[in-house]
Amino acid sequence: MAEAAKTSTAVTTSASAADDADEKEAPGVQLVHRHVFGLKGGVKGNVHFTDETHLLYPAGHNTILYHADQKTQMRVYPGSEGSEGITCLAASPNRKFLAVCEKFQERAVCYIFDVNTGKRRRGQLSYADCDAKEYVCAAFSAENKFLITQGGPPDWTLILWSWDKARPHGAVKVSNLTGSVIHECSFNPQDSSLVCVIGDGVFKFFRLQEGSFKGIPNQLNKLREASNQNYVCHTWLNDDRLIVCSEAGDILLFDSGGEFKMVLPCSPAEVRSLLCVTAFNKGFIAGGEKGVVTFYERSDDPKEMFRKQKGVHLDSTSSMSDANANINSSGPGGGAVTAMTLSPSDEILAIATSNNQLLTLSLSPTDLLKTEDSAVENALTSFHSGPILGLDVCVRKPLVVTCGGDKSVRIWNYIEKTQELCKFFGEEAYSVAFHPSGFHLIVGFSDKLRLMNLLMEDLRTYKEIPIKACRECRFSNGGQFFAAVNSNTIQVYKTYTCEVVCNLRGHQSKVKSVCWTVDDSRLVSTGADGATYEYDIIKEGRRVSEWSQKGTSFSSVIVYTSSDASSQNTTLYVTGTDKMLKEVQNSQLTNYLESNAALGQLALATQAKALIAGVAEPDIPGPLRCYTFPLNGDWAEYQAHSAPVSRIRITWDELFLFSAGDDGCLCIFELRKAGAKASQNKDAALGYADEILVTRAFLDDKQAVLLDLERQVEELHSRIEFQLRHRDGYHKEKMAEMQEKYSEEIESERRKFEVLREEKQEMEMVYEDNIRNLEDTHQKQTRELEESFQQKMLVEVQRYQKLAQDLDREKQEWEAQHSTLLQEHAAVIENMRADAEKEQKTNRERQDRIIKEKEEAFKHHQETLAQLETDADREIEELKEMYEQKLAQEKDDKVRLRGQAGIHQKHFDDLQRDMQKKEEEVRKEEDKSRKAEEKIVNLMKDKDSNVKEIKERDKTIADKEQRIYDLKKQNQELEKFRFVLDYKIKELKAQIDPKTADIASMKTQTQAMDDELSDYMRKNKQLALSISQLQMKQRALQEEIKSQKRRLREDLALITRFKLDLSDCMETISEPKALKESVTALYRKYVQGGAKRQDFDTDMQKEYNRQRDYLEKSVDSLKRKLEKDSQAHRIDNMRIMQENVSLIREINDLRREINNLKHERTAQELANLNQSSGVGAGAQAEREVALQREEIDELARHLAELEAGAPRPLSASPTATLPPADQTAQVPAAPAAEPATGGTAEPASAPAGPEPEGSQTLPAEPGPEEGGTQ
């Protein structure tokens, strides 16, 4: 269970106690949820099934997982601290995750819980652009991946979440211009991209596209725009259709795409008769305001679509409890149905009502056939439908009594977690007290104070005291007295005689709380007048001590008695509207704690050394606080109620804590104490009593009923014996008849078996003869087939030998071509490998240089960062010391002002307001300081980045200036050789132009050859397809010829057999009878069988022709498909070629840029070297001429290679063609000679001509040693 632990500084009369309070340990007791009786009714979707037996529902400020079979609450999901309550629940379709939406002052928040583990997922779902303080509805998508939340007023924003990452994907405002209320939202279970939203006059569909909502128009707005109908609920049916219910009682049907179909004729057409709806396997179920659950099932009639099958009324179920509990069911009727959910098997329907009741309805066919109310029962038990106003616990029995605004008094068993008794009255009950024996109750009604006996099945009044609207009554710890509050007077009575012991007066306003001391000798009280009194009951109610604080209304008081050897000291603890917990001793305020919240009720566990307080702030949840006792300021907070806490009680053995709130929930906690002393006391304690209180009339009635039941048992026993004897005789007669009948049937079956066995033997003989004839025929046909097969094999062997010779010849040709291609490919690869190795070496050197620069920059960054951290720490320490001094000064001022409060009591309120203003100023100053620190940090970061950027720019400027200076100096020297280089460049261009023309012509020839080759390949493919088609037709014709030959042989054999049989028939021509028989046999053998055979052969021919047509059509379709695939393949190849061309262009640009940078750097280094060496211009000119001659030789070799490689056919890819002449001329020759000559660099940087599309530039990596391209 999540706990929210806080620490509050205790303020005492000495300053040292305030300083030591922070060092105290946490409370030595822990509150553990045991059970919660109640349901929070104002939550959207407040009931869900996780499986057949587990049910999720909100109770107080928690969400409960309840096991229906074991009748236990398996897990509690607590609400968040600081929230204003739970607003809606949603369970994922896989029933593994739970979304809990809570209301906050700033903006709404949604949390995701794992149902199985009970842990809350990291991250909260809160949308910054949404001004809503609450989510009114939430829903998971079908694949459990997304979640939508519908924000509340003022903007009504629908938000889509990826909840496992706590990240929003999109949002849209769904309300209309008037800001109408939105009720529900949901995903389409079959299509998670479709979202539906309904509200008052709002019905919209949205489509999720790329994380945003796109509105879908629907006809409903146009059809019902004038009526402005309010839509309150909807559900998706199992067949993907949508049901929407309006406030006027109309049921609208839509298809899966949001298209309006019709208004169902079975609509009830009553206002607010349809408040919630859910789908089940036969249709849908609707619940309304009058507590009626209606079942609608599908109809075969297309005009009505659905038909009302049955209605179940919940009038008396809200006051009914379990079957084992003894309940007086004379309570009010059931409220409106607010939520419904079905179990996974659609056998149980869980129902939540507006009067905070949780019901279950069995949907099995046997239960539905019963009466309407028999199948409906409470899921746990019945709950209070209004605020709980009174609470008390019994000593001798494990019972708790509550009374509330629903005019009921309920008895709960906190060990068995059940409701023992519930009785409704005509008046509202304001307070209740339980006698320690467990036999008597005091209930304060609006008209009288009634003393009641707790009977076995009823509460019976035995004394009425004329005290109206008694809001506080308590039995003494021994049970001999009880105290009842009558406005501002406390009346003490003897329990068994109802004699008045004393009337305690002194309060000027209503008394809010009373408490007895341990020995029942004294009674303490507090009231709305801010006064606390202690009375001595033994001394006829004499006032022992008093303490008051004007302007404060106290709500609760408890008393603690410490027994010393010499005296008995009594300490009072009170709380009220001043949001403080005060400790009063000997009429003096000795200690108090600031609680920062209004505390309503107090309870003290002296053995556990804990003081329990309930928060009673209006309109926010009421948690419980556990303070360490004696008070030192430490406390832990536990989430309990969704409304202010109204009552708190602790059992006498301090094992259980009970709290009741205005939300109608009764929370039971276990007090887990530290150490083993508590367990020893528990073992030594007296067990619970099992006696009950009954009346004489009740016993007489029970005795009469028992005698009547015994008489009925005897009558049933004699009747059953007579029926058994009668059935035995009847069964014997039936057995004899059945034995005779079955013996006759067995004999007849045996005779049938003999007849069948004889027929079987005859059939076996006939089939053996047929099998022998078939075997002879089969052997003959086998011999014929072997002979024909041998002839075919000879033909096929000759054909195979011819094909093998053709294959060997083509293989030799292919191997020759393959070896030639391999040699060419190896040469190209070797050239490319050499270029790649040189480029890799250059890149590695550049990488080493960059790594060194990076390490130097990193060292500089680390030093700067360390300096910044030191400065920031120093500034933080200075600010911390300054604010600590200021805080110490504020604390001194606070202590001084509190010391003056005793003298200047009349100015206390003004001083308190001043103190709050000072604290507010301190908080504002702290906020300003924090913002200033953040601003300083950001500015320091900006400063560092700016300094770094300035340094880098200064360095760059210095480098550029140095480079400009060097280039200017070099330019002066290079101007001397400009004329010579221009002349040589003209000569080289004159030599290159003829070669360029040759290369262009060769390239055109190569392109034409490539086109011709592709045309040949396409024609070859078409011819191959035609050949395969003709071969298929040839094989089909051969098969047909074979079948015709086989039929011809069969027909010849048939004619031969017919001639033989005809000659045999002619022998009997002289005998008419024998002739007739032989002709008849001849007719049966050939005419009838032959006709059937001919029909069979005709069918075979038709089947063969049909299959051949089918195969030809298949071949045609495959041809068309192949042509389409070829076209798509050609398009893909063209796209890939264009991409390759663009990439090659980019690579060439990068290479040219790298070469220019290298040439500039080399020229600069050589210029510096020339200045230092002082070599004459004559030697430089000689070296320049030598290098240019080498370059001319290299260019000549390169052109020779291009000429040799131009006629060679290239690959099908256009990216492998040779570069154009202008790109070859682009290879920089003059810059390579610059280191030796120091000439001008202008010719090297001359722009190259445009590159034709589909060309590829050969790799060029010129270096100072090479003097040219490669």
Side-chain angles (χ1 to χ4, degrees), residues 47 116 344 544 602 619 744 797 835 898 955 1046 1094 1103 1228:
V47 58
N116 297 324
V544 177
L602 300 176
D619 300 328
E744 293 176 354
V797 167
D835 296 338
R898 287 178 178 170
K955 185 178 178 181
R1046 185 171 60 255
Q1094 185 176 1
E1103 179 65 21

Side-chain angles (χ1 to χ4, degrees), residues 42 87 164 174 346 378 381 392 501 504 621 634 666 729 775 788 895 901 934 989 1008 1049 1055 1067 1183 1227 1229 1268:
T87 57
D164 54 346
V174 298
D346 287 355
N378 290 285
T381 180
D392 202 5
V501 176
L504 309 180
D634 295 337
L666 172 63
E775 287 178 352
S788 62
V895 172
E934 294 176 355
K989 285 185 177 179
R1049 287 195 299 269
I1055 292 170
E1067 293 177 356
R1183 285 195 298 270
V1227 178

